[in-house]
Amino acid sequence: MKGIVCAVLISFFIPVAGAQTPMINRDSIPHYFDQVKQATRENVKIWDKDIYGPIMLIEEGTRVIYANEPDKDNVLVARRGYYTGVLPKEISFQNTSLDWKGKTWATVVLPLSPNKYQRLDLITHELFHSAQLSLGFDIRGSDNYHLDEKDGRVFLRLELEALKKALRARRLSLAEEHLRNALIFRKYRHLVYSGSQLSENKLELLEGLATYTGQMMSGRDKWQLREYLIARLEDYPNTPSFVRSFAYETVAVYGFFLYQKNNNWNKGISGETDLTEFFEEAFELDMRIVLPSYVRQLSEDYRGKEIRDEETLRSEKHTLTLNELRDKFLEKPRLEIKLEDMNMSFDPVNPIPLDVDEGTVYPTIRISDNWGILTVTGGGALLSPGLVWVVVSEPVEIGEDEITGEGWRIELNKGYYLEKNNQGNYLMTKKKNE
């Protein structure tokens, strides 16, 4: 498969229904590139490497590119202070890194925030992803299905509450006690869900270190960063899904405090590091036995009852949602498409995992493949485990080059058509050579 593109740092720009998209000031683009170049040069010591490299700013609707340097095939045309062109429609994009025309680009969806800190944070986050292989991080993130279950969410929220109290503490010694309690909630979560330490670690290495890098290069001072992190943690419980989004919050806070102890702490991290064990050693978490009774008692210092009540109510509603989704994608007539050479982009804050053997529902997603381009703007799509199949609801209109359904559309390539099987489901089928 060609690759997976996921949106990151979504808090920087979230489109509002009915709102006008801010105008893009093309004259400002060279200035933005210069700001990023200066930020990376001033922060070379973070990784002992200047991570500045190819950057591609992309208009979402038109797919127009504004780049800081030419591509190797000279597809992009030079303008005053930038290079421009149009990204082919078969390439899905979001805030991420992208291999295209001989280079690895940090890609960012326009418009950029008018706030300089947020712009630098976002673009340098993506530059980390472009540079991560050269930094020794050959990592793929992983879904964390347990963080959609009630207890998984409860103990993550307790960890984040403790991290928030650490940020608000007036003394470092008190802050570190809250950090140790945060790690106790984390350890208990890992005990409850077998394998979760490994799956969480993969995402934290991938997105947590990128987030830390962006925040350190943003230009915020210590106190501005502290308030920013608190605001993020305050808002995080409103995030629809924790499955792929939690790592943007956790490592940033642990990294904030680790920097106070050792400016070079991140240089001790490799792609093989277990971050939980690293944090436990750094903050001197003793080897106390993590008993359920102790954890329950400790949770009362961190809004434990309120959080559990909220998550119990959410769980009851969420069970109904899961049953509806199973009925829609596994029982009712549907379109099933085998993935061949897939490229996709999605938002990491809203995936809804079903059972491990059923897959994950993405409320919005874009997939390009040999058969065409699927764009889901509402109603969702189910991706099977291992990304072998994608399933959408039954088609409403079927044409030679376009298929539409409730909340989705396929731009169909030549050589493919839909076939209905004996169960009443549609299958994407490749035409045989006549």
Side-chain angles (χ1 to χ4, degrees):
M1 292 183 181
K2 293 177 182 175
I4 300 171
V5 181
C6 66
V8 295
L9 295 179
I10 45 76
S11 61
F12 289 143
F13 178 71
I14 302 176
V16 178
Q20 281 191 325
T21 301
M23 294 295 292
I24 297 164
N25 184 352
R26 294 172 179 82
D27 293 336
S28 297
I29 288 174
H31 175 59
Y32 293 159
F33 289 147
D34 288 341
Q35 287 181 333
V36 175
K37 182 184 291 187
Q38 181 179 350
T40 59
R41 287 179 177 175
E42 290 176 351
N43 290 281
V44 166
K45 289 184 178 180
I46 292 178
W47 292 107
D48 289 334
K49 176 184 175 68
D50 188 348
I51 65 172
Y52 190 78
I55 302 169
M56 187 188 295
L57 309 178
I58 309 172
E59 290 183 356
E60 190 165 21
T62 65
R63 306 178 71 85
V64 170
I65 297 166
Y66 304 93
N68 63 334
E69 58 183 66
D71 62 285
K72 288 193 174 180
D73 293 343
N74 294 317
V75 171
L76 301 177
V77 178
R79 291 288 183 263
R80 296 177 59 182
Y82 60 85
Y83 297 82
T84 189
V86 178
L87 191 68
K89 68 177 184 178
E90 65 268 15
I91 299 177
S92 298
F93 66 92
Q94 259 296 350
N95 297 335
T96 187
S97 65
L98 175 67
D99 292 332
W100 185 72
K101 296 299 179 183
K103 293 186 178 182
T104 300
W105 304 83
T107 59
V108 175
V109 181
L110 291 169
L112 293 171
S113 169
N115 183 294
K116 179 181 177 182
Y117 300 139
Q118 292 185 352
R119 286 198 308 272
L120 292 176
D121 196 333
L122 173 58
I123 297 174
T124 55
H125 177 121
E126 306 312 339
L127 282 170
F128 173 88
H129 283 310
S130 298
Q132 68 184 49
L133 283 177
S134 66
L135 295 172
F137 297 102
D138 185 6
I139 304 160
R140 284 190 177 274
S142 61
D143 289 333
N144 289 271
Y145 295 99
H146 63 287
L147 294 181
D148 205 47
E149 297 186 15
K150 184 178 77 171
D151 283 346
R153 289 176 57 92
V154 165
F155 288 105
L156 175 62
R157 288 186 61 184
L158 287 169
E159 179 182 357
L160 297 180
E161 280 293 318
L163 293 179
K164 190 164 54 177
K165 280 201 171 186
L167 289 166
R168 286 176 168 157
R170 294 182 178 272
R171 299 189 308 277
L172 182 59
S173 60
L174 183 57
E176 290 195 346
E177 184 60 28
H178 289 304
L179 290 169
R180 287 189 283 270
N181 289 340
L183 289 168
I184 288 173
F185 294 129
R186 174 181 284 227
K187 283 175 67 74
Y188 188 73
R189 182 171 71 247
H190 292 165
L191 289 173
V192 171
Y193 296 99
S194 177
S196 61
Q197 185 163 338
L198 177 61
S199 63
E200 289 185 15
N201 192 61
K202 288 181 180 179
L203 195 62
E204 286 192 317
L205 285 171
L206 178 67
E207 296 296 352
L209 293 179
T211 302
Y212 173 79
T213 300
Q215 291 175 1
M216 293 301 294
M217 293 190 178
S218 68
R220 300 181 183 94
D221 64 30
K222 175 181 175 180
W223 304 112
Q224 289 171 321
L225 182 53
R226 172 180 169 272
E227 292 304 315
Y228 172 71
L229 292 172
I230 290 171
R232 286 186 66 105
L233 292 180
E234 287 279 9
D235 188 59
Y236 186 71
N238 299 319
T239 304
S241 172
F242 298 167
V243 171
R244 292 191 65 96
S245 61
F246 76 97
Y248 299 97
E249 316 304 324
T250 51
V251 176
V253 180
Y254 289 115
F256 174 84
F257 286 104
L258 285 168
Y259 185 82
Q260 317 306 319
K261 296 164 71 73
N262 175 8
N263 291 0
N264 296 311
W265 73 270
N266 56 292
K267 296 175 189 175
I269 304 295
S270 75
E272 305 301 318
T273 300
D274 185 311
L275 286 174
T276 297
E277 293 178 358
F278 186 92
F279 296 153
E280 289 173 0
E281 181 176 352
F283 296 113
E284 300 176 353
L285 179 67
D286 61 37
M287 300 307 293
R288 70 187 87 179
I289 299 174
V290 185
L291 295 172
S293 58
Y294 177 76
V295 174
R296 187 165 51 250
Q297 178 184 351
L298 184 64
S299 71
E300 296 311 306
D301 295 332
Y302 299 97
R303 299 178 52 244
K305 184 179 185 306
E306 183 179 349
I307 288 173
R308 186 165 289 280
D309 287 347
E310 290 174 357
E311 291 301 329
T312 298
L313 181 60
R314 183 221 180 240
S315 180
E316 293 170 355
K317 294 179 178 179
H318 194 58
T319 297
L320 297 176
T321 299
L322 295 179
N323 289 338
E324 291 172 358
L325 292 174
R326 288 189 179 99
D327 185 55
K328 179 177 184 177
F329 294 113
L330 301 175
E331 300 297 334
K332 288 183 177 179
R334 54 198 179 271
L335 166 58
E336 301 176 351
I337 308 171
K338 189 168 185 178
L339 299 171
E340 299 175 357
D341 193 18
M342 178 268 290
N343 172 272
M344 76 178 187
S345 62
F346 62 92
D347 190 330
V349 305
N350 62 18
I352 306 170
L354 305 181
D355 285 343
V356 175
D357 60 347
E358 292 175 331
T360 300
V361 175
Y362 293 79
T364 57
I365 195 169
R366 186 181 192 273
I367 296 176
S368 60
D369 207 317
N370 296 336
W371 37 263
I373 300 170
L374 167 66
T375 303
V376 179
T377 56
L382 172 67
L383 264 69
S384 70
L387 305 180
V388 178
W389 293 85
V390 61
V391 180
V392 292
S393 59
E394 185 176 22
V396 174
E397 293 186 16
I398 301 174
E400 288 188 6
D401 56 6
E402 182 180 77
I403 305 166
T404 59
E406 184 180 353
W408 62 265
R409 172 176 176 260
I410 293 176
E411 299 169 65
L412 191 64
N413 288 340
K414 290 183 178 179
Y416 288 87
Y417 69 102
L418 295 193
E419 184 176 57
K420 200 170 188 179
N421 64 15
N422 294 333
Q423 289 75 43
N425 299 320
Y426 291 86
L427 299 175
M428 182 70 73
T429 304
K430 190 172 185 177
K431 293 179 181 179
K432 296 179 181 179
N433 293 329
E434 297 181 357

